[in-house]
C-alpha cells in the first residue's frame, strides 16, 4: 500500500519551491485523522531563523517543496478514538518535534528531542514515509503525544514562539540549574531566543546582562526587557571590566563568532550553553576554558513534557513573546526582515487572517 494512500485532506499553505528563500501559495495533502491523532486548525505560526535556513537550503538537507513553521498554535477540530488528553475546541500547540521512535531511553524519559530517529514538524519523514509539512498552513494533523496544551491565560499568538524559542532556552537553564535567584546570567544576542532568556532570568530573580554587538540595543534591553546590565561585545574596555562576573551564559547567536572573549566573562566554574546554530564552526580557544575551569555545552529544544512544563511556567509568571503579527501576504517581506534581524523579537503569522499571498 502506498505510504500516502490515506493522505486525502487537501490543505492550503505556503511553501518554498527552491533556494530563493521565498514562499508561494501551495496546495498539498495531509493524512486523515488516525486513532492517536488530533487535527488542529492552525491560527498562528511563529517564524524562526530555522525556517530561513531550510528555505534557502543553507544546511543542504531541504526537500522541496518545504512548508516551514514549527511554532504552531490553534484549536483542536478532531480527535482520534484513542486520544483521551485532548478534546475538540482545546487550545493547543505543536513545536519542533513531530515523531520519534518511542522505544529508546530518550523517548521513555520524554527527551524525544534527543532520540536518534527524531523527525521534525517540517522537512522530516513521518512514520508512514511521508514528508512532513509545517505550520505555514491552515491545518495540521499530529500524533497526540507531540501536542501540548496552551494555558488559558496565554494568548495563542504570543504563545506560538514559546514552542521553539521558549523551550530552547528554558531546557538548558533548567538542566544546568540556572534558576537561582541572585545568580548572574549573561544572554548573548537579543533576538527571538535572547529576549525570552532575559524574561526567564528576570522571572526567577537572576541578575541579567545582555551581551550584544549592537550598542543601540542597550536602551531596549534595559527599558523594554528590564535587563540589569548591557555589554557591547566589541568594546574591549566593557568586556575587560566585566571579566569573571557571570555565573552562566546563554549564547543565542546564529552567526559564526568566537567564544573566547565571551568565556572570559564567566566566573571560575562558569557554564556557557550554545543554543544558536551557526552554519560555520564557532571559534573556541582553549585558554579561557582551562584557566577558568569553565564548561561549554549545547542544547536543542526540549522534550514534550518539558515543553508543557515551560508553558505552565510562562503562564504562572506571565512570560510572553514580544511579537509582530503579520498576514500571509507579508511572509516574504518578514523573511527578508528576519534575515537582517529587523524584528522585535518574533514574527508570528496570523494564518486565519483574510489577507492571503
Amino acid at each position: 500500500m502506498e505510504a500516502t494512500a490515506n493522505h486525502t485532506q487537501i490543505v492550503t499553505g505556503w511553501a518554498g519551491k527552491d533556494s530563493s528563500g521565498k514562499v508561494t501559495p501551495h496546495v498539498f495533502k495531509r493524512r486523515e485523522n488516525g486513532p492517536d491523532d488530533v487535527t488542529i486548525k492552525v491560527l498562528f505560526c511563529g517564524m524562526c531563523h530555522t525556517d530561513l535556513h531550510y528555505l534557502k537550503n543553507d544546511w543542504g538537507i531541504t526537500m522541496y517543496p518545504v512548508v516551514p513553521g514549527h511554532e504552531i498554535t490553534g484549536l483542536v477540530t478532531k480527535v482520534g478514538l484513542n486520544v483521551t488528553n485532548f478534546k475538540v475546541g482545546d487550545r493547543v500547540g505543536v513545536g519542533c518535534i513531530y515523531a520519534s521512535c518511542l522505544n529508546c531511553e530518550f523517548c521513555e524519559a520524554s527527551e524525544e528531542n534527543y532520540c536518534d530517529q527524531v523527525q521534525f514538524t517540517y522537512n522530516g519523514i513521518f512514520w508512514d514515509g511521508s514528508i512532513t509539512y509545517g505550520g505555514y498552513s491552515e491545518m495540521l494533523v499530529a500524533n497526540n503525544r507531540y501536542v501540548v496544551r496552551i494555558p488559558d491565560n496565554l494568548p495563542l499568538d504570543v504563545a506560538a514562539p514559546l514552542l521553539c524559542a521558549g523551550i530552547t532556552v528554558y531546557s538548558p537553564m533548567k538542566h544546568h540549574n540556572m534558576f537561582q535567584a541572585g545568580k548572574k546570567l549573561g544572554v548573548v544576542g537579543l533576538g527571538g531566543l535572547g529576549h525570552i532568556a532575559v524574561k526567564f532570568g528576570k522571572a526567577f530573580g537572576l541578575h541579567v546582562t545582555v551581551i550584544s554587538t549592537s550598542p543601540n540595543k542597550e536602551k531596549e534591553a534595559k527599558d523594554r526587557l528590564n535587563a540589569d546590565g548591557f555589554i557591547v561585545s566589541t568594546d574591549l574596555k566593557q568586556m575587560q571590566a566585566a571579566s569573571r562576573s557571570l555565573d552562566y551564559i546563554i549564547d543565542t547567536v546564529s552567526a559564526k563568532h568566537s567564544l573566547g572573549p565571551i568565556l572570559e566573562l564567566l566566573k571560575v566554574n562558569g557554564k556557557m550553553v550554545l543554543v544558536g546554530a551557526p552554519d560555520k564552526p564557532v571559534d573556541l580557544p582553549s585558554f579561557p576554558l582551562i584557566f577558568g575551569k569553565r564548561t561549554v555545552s549545547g542544547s536543542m529544544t526540549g522534550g514534550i513534557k518539558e515543553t508543557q512544563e515551560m508553558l505552565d511556567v510562562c503562564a504562572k509568571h506571565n512570560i510572553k513573546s514580544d511579537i509582530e503579527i503579520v498576514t500571509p501576504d507579508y511572509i516574504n517581506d518578514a523573511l527578508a526582515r528576519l534575515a537582517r534581524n529587523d524584528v522585535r523579537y518574533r514574527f508570528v503569522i496570523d494564518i486565519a487572517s483574510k489577507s492571503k499571498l
Side-chain angles (χ1 to χ4, degrees), residues 18-327:
D18 54 45
S19 60
S20 68
K22 289 184 164 56
V23 299
T24 54
H26 183 59
V27 176
F28 60 101
K29 292 180 178 178
R30 292 203 187 275
R31 71 179 185 274
E32 291 294 319
N33 197 86
D36 298 307
D37 291 334
V38 297
T39 296
I40 301 164
K41 176 181 171 61
V42 179
L43 296 180
F44 298 100
C45 186
M47 298 177 67
C48 176
H49 249 284
T50 300
D51 301 349
L52 265 180
H53 288 305
Y54 274 107
L55 283 166
K56 294 182 175 180
N57 197 23
D58 286 340
W59 297 329
I61 56 174
T62 302
M63 297 177 281
Y64 294 106
V66 61
V67 177
H70 58 207
E71 300 180 345
I72 304 161
T73 57
L75 301 175
V76 174
T77 59
K78 193 172 185 179
V79 298
L81 286 172
N82 299 338
V83 177
T84 57
N85 50 338
F86 297 105
K87 65 183 186 304
V88 171
D90 280 353
R91 306 163 81 251
V92 295
V94 174
C96 307
I97 302 168
Y98 196 71
S100 60
C101 81
L102 301 179
N103 298 312
C104 69
E105 60 178 305
F106 301 108
C107 285
E108 288 180 0
S110 194
E111 289 188 297
E112 300 90 349
N113 47 318
Y114 296 117
C115 171
D116 64 5
Q117 294 177 49
V118 69
Q119 296 297 331
F120 297 121
T121 300
Y122 67 88
N123 205 72
I125 306 289
F126 190 56
W127 293 321
D128 64 5
S130 64
I131 293 173
T132 59
Y133 298 117
Y136 290 23
S137 62
E138 296 179 327
M139 180 268 274
L140 182 76
V141 180
N143 183 286
N144 76 95
R145 180 185 173 122
Y146 306 98
V147 178
V148 290
R149 185 180 304 280
I150 307 296
D152 288 340
N153 63 332
L154 272 184
L156 291 177
D157 52 1
V158 295
L162 298 174
L163 297 167
C164 171
I167 186 59
T168 296
V169 294
Y170 178 86
S171 182
M173 290 177 82
K174 181 189 173 195
H175 177 77
H176 292 285
N177 200 25
M178 294 184 189
F179 294 134
Q180 298 185 59
K183 294 285 189 178
K184 295 193 172 180
L185 169 70
V187 177
V188 188
L190 192 59
L193 275 69
H195 91 285
I196 297 290
V198 172
K199 291 188 180 202
F200 278 128
K202 293 299 293 181
F204 283 91
L206 282 85
H207 180 283
V208 181
T209 299
V210 171
I211 302 148
S212 174
T213 56
S214 309
N216 60 352
K217 286 195 174 180
E218 180 168 8
K219 183 172 172 54
E220 65 192 70
K222 290 181 174 177
D223 295 352
R224 180 169 176 165
L225 297 170
N226 297 315
D228 302 285
F230 187 89
I231 299 170
V232 180
S233 56
T234 52
D235 186 319
L236 198 58
K237 280 188 178 175
Q238 287 189 28
M239 292 290 282
Q240 286 174 340
S243 176
R244 291 195 173 193
S245 65
L246 304 174
D247 296 289
Y248 319 112
I249 291 175
I250 299 280
D251 187 336
T252 71
V253 174
S254 57
K256 176 179 164 57
H257 58 295
S258 176
L259 304 185
I262 302 167
L263 279 168
E264 298 281 12
L265 301 176
L266 282 172
K267 296 176 182 177
V268 173
N269 271 325
K271 298 174 182 176
M272 174 193 279
V273 182
L274 304 182
V275 292
D279 52 3
K280 294 185 176 67
V282 295
D283 295 323
L284 178 58
S286 57
F287 277 25
L289 280 180
I290 294 167
F291 283 89
K293 200 165 67 167
R294 300 171 175 114
T295 303
V296 176
S297 63
S299 184
M300 186 195 72
T301 67
I304 303 302
K305 279 186 182 173
E306 194 171 54
T307 301
Q308 186 65 65
E309 174 187 300
M310 177 272 308
L311 287 168
D312 295 339
V313 166
C314 287
K316 178 181 176 184
H317 292 279
N318 197 31
I319 295 172
K320 300 169 183 173
S321 314
D322 287 10
I323 64 169
E324 180 178 333
I325 295 268
V326 299
T327 51

